[in-house]
Every structure is written in structure tokens, then in C-alpha cells.
Amino acid sequence: MAVPDIIPIEELFAPPAQTAFSLSPDGAQAAHLALWRGRPNVRIEDVDRPENVRWATQDPHGVERFLWTVDSRWLLCVRSGAGDGPQHLFRADPHAPHTEMVDLTPGPGTRVRGIHLPPDHSDRVLLQVNMRNATEYDLVELDITTGKRSIVAKRFGSGPGWFRSRTGDLFRMTKTAEGDLQVSRRHRSRGTMKPLAVVNGRDHPLGPYPVQITPDGTAAWVGSNRGTDRTRLIRVDLRTREESEVDSHSVYDLDTRAQYSPGHPAPLIHARGTGELLGARYLGERQVIHALDPDFAEVLENVAKLSDGDVGAISSDLAGRRWIVTFTHDRDPATYFYDHSTGESRVLSRSRQALDPAELAPTRPVTITARDGLPLPAYLTLPLGVEPVRLSTVLLVHGGRWWRDSWAFDPVVQLLANRGHAVLQVNARGSTGYGKAFTQAATGSFAAKTHDDLVDGVRWAVDHGYTDADRVAIMGTARGGYGALATAASAPEVFAAAVDVDETPDEELQGAAEPRARPPMGQDADHIRSPWLLVREPGTPLARLRTAQLVDSLRARGVPVEHLHIENKGGPHSEPDIEVSVYTAVERFLALHLSASGTP
């Protein structure tokens, strides 16, 4: 095909037009988040009359997330809070869109956590909130209609590890000193917690996930890799502590990305009315869903025909007849409505509707063999309209020590490919989702073998003819930015440029700024010689000092360093104009130092 036109950065990084679709429990209305005066707010359409669209909220602060009440009467909305600011729970009336939201948790420093809607009480909601004491979170039952609140348990904590069964029992999941997870049940009259079972968590970086109490309160569904390399789904009987396997995949782990990033779908799919288990998600190169219910298996088979993407967020009415399904896709993420009783389906939204999927570059899974023989899962994106030979290449390093890259739309990847660069994303050892042994292969060697894996990815791309060895850049965001810097230091001959975008941890900046005291990830900063772009928010005074020390040290040795300061009160890159500024600088920097032939 012909070389595609240049896609403006503003279009690539524009927020999705519509997100977070949710069907009302009665199946009559579909709600989603859309921008109202630049802030996300809730908009509703009637399922049977989709032309009837109206705003359910018009809040200048914006709505972070929302829930339908069980009877479809109200919407419960969490107002966006910047940083550690207040974050209240509001009630909105979907039938009176011009009525102001009602604040159900008033107070200057109130923050809401862990919202739970009991299926047997449509007028009640349970939540963790710090209204009594700013530093303590209580478990509170709130009457949605009247706003009356009653404390169920004081000092219940702010974590998500609790559950109310359909029988009314309260369960709590807490981490032990050994890294395991203890499941306890609260005594109804005395208010004390009775330990029931301990779930092995020592082989999970952040503890076992998911852990959910079954609707009847007799057992827990747990993601476990006890006695196996793969994280599978087991059932733990809370009376006998007996474990039994519910489901597993021969190659893939349960998809636990939601533990690290709540924007990803949960690994377990439940029936909306009963909470019973419908399916389990597994993730390898792409996602696989195992249907655990015959009716859901039919639904899944039919909705899978709507898109060649992966099923993401999914919601249904109480009857399991009407469904809304959002698909993850590398070029065309979209949301569909599907009626299982009639077979009717239609597109509700293409979240990147300003972009033509045919002008975007496909991302494909590849496997790279590390120097010690370990297979490394990776993703390769090649620019359209040019011969995929000896291209300038950007190695993207994912953030988070316990994270992974996966197949999805990524505006950074599409920007780089549109500008003529090949993009390689390597899930180096230590990345999660590929089995216990793969994650533990990085233990004690994040500074060595993980960086070797990234370099081995570049050498694979060169050996296969995709990459020009003289025009390779390495780039990462947050902890991935530091990984990019440290890898560039460990193999300076491999990289022509390096980009480090925001939030390198303070202690690691200190290691880079003071190489004699603490070399970064085992490497001396004096080894860095490639041009380097550093993007930083102001951060703490200590972080600013360490950044300045590192920049001054590199410049004193003649290393070209560009240091871009960004101001953003809403959190890392939350504002589209901030991202446009950042990636305009990245685009220019890479064009200067990689001189990409074949650039559109």
C-alpha cells in the first residue's frame, strides 16, 4: 500500500469519544462516559430508541466512574479527584438529566473506596469512606434514596479486600507477614473477624489474584500457581480448606492485569443477577476466554463474530439477554450492543473514530530467543507503505517491574510507526503473565538479565533484517523510562538515542546521579553516551535535585541531553495537551537522531 499520510499527534492522543459502557440491569438504557465541556460525564441512550441520547451528569469536575443501582433507578457516580483531593460518591437521576447530582458523602476531605452494591438491597450501598476520621476508613452502609448512613465496621481499612455474600456475611482478605492471604469472616453480633483459610501468595509478586468469595459465602475463587507454573482458577472451601481446580489453560496464566491497572477487565466474568461464574480470562499473545456456563458459551460465540479484537469490558442485563461488549484492538477498538434473544447487534462506538484503521499499523506477536535460550514474548509493529528492511527502530520498555505489554491500541506505537519507525516491545523476564518461572527468572537480576533480554530483542530485529543496527532508540515511561536509561548505559554501542518519560523513582535517580555511591541497576552512569531526552514533571524537591545532578553530569561529559519540564496538576499525562507537547518533543528528537528513511 501507499505510504499513509501523517496523522496529527492531536488525533492520536485525543481521548476516546466514548468509554466505560454499561447496560442498566433492566436492559433498557446504556450509559457511558463522554466529554462534557472537556470533562468526562455520564451520557445515556435508550436501547430501543438509540437516537434518544441525553446527559445524566453535567459536572465541571468530571466523573471518574459510575455504577447502576440494582433496580436501574439511580446512577452512583464517583467524582474525579485530582491527586489526593476529595473524591465523593454522588447520586444521579438518569430519568431527570437536568437535575443536579446529590452528594452522598459530603465533607471537605472525604474519599470513597471499595463500593459494593448488595444484590438483595436495591436501595443500599456499602462503601469504605473516611467521613468520621480523615485518616481512618470505616465500612458504611448508605441509603441511596435518603442519604442516611450507618457504620457497619469502624477502622475497616481502605483496601479492596472485602466482600459481602448474598447471605449477608462480611468477609475480609488480609495479607500475612509471610506474603500469604488470610480470609476471615466477620461475626455478625460480636463484630470480630474469624480466620477461615490461608491462600498461598508467596509466588505472586503482589499476592494472589483474583480472590473472590462465592455468592453463597461457602468458598473462595482464587488465582493460584501452587504446584504448577501457570496461574489457574481454584476453589477453596472455607470450612474444610480443601482446594479444587475450577479451570485452567495449558499455556496461559489468568489475565491478572486488572490487579495492576484497574482499566483492564477483571479475570473472572460473573452473572450480573446472581454473581455466579460465567467465564475466566487468560492472556498470552492474545486473550482467551473459557466459558464456564453453557448459556454464556453461546453468547461468547456470537459476540466473537462482531470483531476480530479481544473481548474486553462486558455487561448484561439481569436476564443475561442483552449485552454490551467492548473489544480491545490494535487499530479499531469498538463497543457493540448484542441481543441474544433476537440476534440483533450494532456498533455503539468506535473509540478512535477520528482514525482510519486502514491507516494504522498492525501489531503482531513474535517470539525472541534470549542468549541463554529463554523464549521472550514480544510485539512487533512495522510502518505501512515501506519495505520492512533496515528500518529505524524504537525499543519500547514497559513500565512497572511486575507488568507486561499486551496486544492493544497504543497511541505511542502508532505515532512511531506512522513516522516510519519499526516498534519492538519485549516482555523481558520478570514480566508477569507468562508463568511463575518466567517471572522468577528475573529475581536478583533485574539489572543484568532483563537488560540483556532487551538488547537481545534488538539483535533479533537486526538479524531478521527489520532493523538498521545504527538507528535504534530505546524509550520508556515511568519505571520503563529508567529501564531504558539503564539498558542504554549497559549497552551503549547498541542505541543511537534514549528517551525517559517521567516518574523515575527517586532512589533510582540517586543511583544514576551518584554512580560511585550506587550505580543504576548495576551499571555506571558514566557509560551513557547516546543522546538522551528526559521528560519530567516538577516532582519533589529531592527528585528535581537528583534529576539536575544527572543532567549536569551527562552534559559535563559532552552527552547531548534535552530536559523537558512539564506542568500537569491532574497527574501523569492526564491532559491531552500535555501528551501532545511531550510526544511532539519525542517525535522531533527521534527524527533528529534516527534520521528515518522512508518516513512519511
Side-chain angles (χ1 to χ4, degrees):
M1 66 171 290
V3 175
D5 293 335
I6 288 287
I7 302 174
I9 294 179
E10 292 81 357
E11 292 183 9
L12 286 166
F13 288 90
Q18 300 168 332
T19 60
F21 278 82
S22 179
L23 193 62
S24 61
D26 61 10
Q29 301 175 92
H32 62 268
L33 294 178
L35 293 182
W36 179 82
R37 296 184 180 177
R39 295 292 180 182
N41 273 268
V42 183
R43 195 163 62 178
I44 294 178
E45 68 178 56
D46 293 335
V47 170
D48 294 323
R49 296 178 58 201
E51 71 280 1
N52 188 9
V53 181
R54 67 270 185 197
W55 290 103
T57 69
Q58 294 177 320
D59 190 282
H61 297 277
V63 171
E64 183 177 286
R65 62 189 187 276
F66 67 90
L67 297 167
W68 287 99
T69 57
V70 178
D71 59 359
S72 305
R73 176 63 185 89
W74 305 104
L75 284 165
L76 298 180
C77 304
V78 177
R79 175 184 279 177
S80 296
D84 292 326
Q87 195 175 46
H88 294 196
L89 183 70
F90 288 79
R91 185 191 72 210
D93 189 344
H95 306 286
H98 299 294
T99 305
E100 281 193 30
M101 294 194 298
V102 176
D103 191 349
L104 298 174
T105 55
T110 300
R111 293 187 67 81
V112 169
R113 296 283 189 270
I115 301 169
H116 175 71
L117 289 166
D120 51 340
H121 292 287
S122 61
D123 60 342
R124 304 294 173 86
V125 62
L126 285 167
L127 63 153
Q128 291 154 294
V129 64
N130 63 342
M131 296 183 70
R132 182 183 55 83
N133 185 319
T135 62
E136 295 178 351
Y137 283 79
D138 302 323
L139 184 64
V140 171
E141 184 177 71
L142 187 149
D143 187 303
I144 298 168
T145 304
T146 66
K148 182 180 178 180
R149 299 178 296 274
S150 58
I151 295 177
V152 177
K154 288 185 177 180
R155 295 179 291 278
F156 200 67
S158 62
W162 65 280
F163 183 81
R164 180 185 182 273
S165 70
R166 295 181 68 87
T167 58
D169 289 315
L170 282 172
F171 296 83
R172 189 73 196 266
M173 282 73 80
T174 54
K175 199 170 185 179
T176 69
E178 294 77 22
D180 295 327
L181 200 72
Q182 181 171 284
V183 181
S184 304
R185 181 176 58 222
R186 186 173 183 268
H187 193 282
R188 294 195 185 191
S189 60
R190 294 196 295 268
T192 56
M193 302 301 296
K194 178 183 178 181
L196 299 177
V198 175
V199 177
N200 176 51
R202 302 177 199 189
D203 287 331
H204 301 265
L206 296 183
Y209 180 83
V211 178
Q212 297 177 9
I213 306 299
T214 58
D216 61 8
T218 64
W221 290 310
V222 178
S224 173
N225 56 21
R226 188 202 297 267
T228 179
D229 186 55
R230 302 294 171 179
T231 300
R232 66 199 193 286
L233 182 62
I234 65 170
R235 181 184 185 275
V236 180
D237 188 298
L238 295 180
R239 183 179 62 86
T240 66
R241 302 191 180 187
E242 181 181 354
E243 298 182 2
S244 57
E245 183 173 299
V246 177
D247 189 59
S248 63
H249 192 285
S250 60
V251 179
Y252 299 160
D253 283 343
L254 278 172
D255 182 1
T256 59
R257 289 174 298 171
Q259 184 181 21
Y260 309 89
S261 177
H264 288 91
L268 303 185
I269 302 172
H270 299 276
R272 190 167 194 170
T274 66
E276 292 298 334
L277 200 58
L278 298 181
R281 301 175 191 266
Y282 298 86
L283 187 66
E285 296 177 344
R286 296 275 300 271
Q287 179 190 251
V288 173
I289 296 178
H290 284 179
L292 305 178
D293 173 88
D295 292 332
F296 180 66
E298 291 184 11
V299 171
L300 190 63
E301 181 181 4
N302 290 339
V303 299
K305 299 172 185 176
L306 302 177
S307 168
D308 60 353
D310 293 342
V311 172
I314 184 168
S315 69
S316 75
D317 59 8
L318 290 174
R321 180 172 68 93
R322 291 178 159 182
W323 297 79
I324 290 179
V325 183
T326 295
F327 287 89
T328 299
H329 201 284
D330 61 341
R331 287 155 292 146
D332 191 19
T335 300
Y336 289 79
F337 168 79
Y338 167 70
D339 191 318
H340 190 53
S341 61
T342 66
E344 174 196 356
S345 64
R346 66 175 183 271
V347 177
L348 293 178
S349 172
R350 285 197 150 82
S351 63
R352 303 290 172 171
Q353 59 189 18
L355 303 174
D356 180 358
E359 297 287 304
L360 301 175
T363 296
R364 64 183 177 93
V366 297
T367 300
I368 294 164
T369 302
R371 65 190 67 181
D372 62 359
L374 183 67
L376 305 173
Y379 295 91
L380 178 66
T381 306
L382 299 173
L384 299 177
V386 297
E387 187 177 2
V389 176
R390 291 181 56 80
L391 299 167
S392 59
T393 299
V394 180
L395 175 65
L396 281 185
V397 183
H398 66 67
R401 184 168 292 180
W402 310 116
W403 187 235
R404 57 159 290 168
D405 284 313
S406 53
W407 185 82
F409 175 83
D410 186 327
V412 176
V413 171
Q414 294 299 333
L415 168 66
L416 297 172
N418 184 253
R419 276 28 175 195
H421 307 293
V423 184
L424 183 62
Q425 299 164 276
V426 178
N427 282 311
R429 70 193 70 204
S431 302
T432 50
Y434 298 102
K436 180 166 53 178
F438 190 86
T439 302
Q440 294 180 345
T443 302
S445 60
F446 270 103
K449 291 184 179 179
T450 55
H451 298 163
D452 289 345
D453 290 346
L454 295 173
V455 172
D456 290 346
V458 173
R459 289 173 176 160
W460 172 90
V462 171
D463 291 344
H464 282 72
Y466 299 118
T467 294
D468 182 343
D470 294 327
R471 296 189 295 140
V472 180
I474 186 168
M475 173 177 167
T477 299
R479 187 178 288 274
Y482 180 73
L485 170 62
T487 305
S490 68
E493 74 284 356
V494 174
F495 301 102
V499 179
D500 176 4
V501 180
D502 86 31
E503 287 199 326
T504 292
D506 278 1
E507 70 276 8
E508 293 179 349
L509 271 176
Q510 181 181 25
E514 303 171 11
R516 291 180 179 83
R518 185 179 183 275
M521 306 288 273
Q523 299 294 335
D524 194 319
D526 288 343
H527 292 164
I528 298 173
R529 61 176 185 241
S530 303
W532 183 38
L533 171 62
L534 173 66
V535 181
R536 281 289 177 276
E537 292 189 31
T540 65
L542 182 59
R544 291 197 297 270
L545 173 62
R546 290 172 175 168
T547 297
Q549 289 174 333
L550 178 56
V551 170
D552 289 345
S553 172
L554 293 173
R555 285 176 174 167
R557 293 191 294 102
V559 177
V561 179
E562 295 186 31
H563 187 189
L564 175 63
H565 298 270
I566 55 175
E567 295 285 345
N568 184 15
K569 297 180 181 179
H573 302 325
S574 64
E575 302 290 346
D577 57 341
I578 296 294
E579 290 192 303
V580 169
S581 298
V582 169
Y583 288 102
T584 297
V586 169
E587 174 191 23
R588 180 197 49 75
F589 178 83
L590 293 176
L592 175 65
H593 296 289
L594 297 187
S595 302
S597 62
T599 302

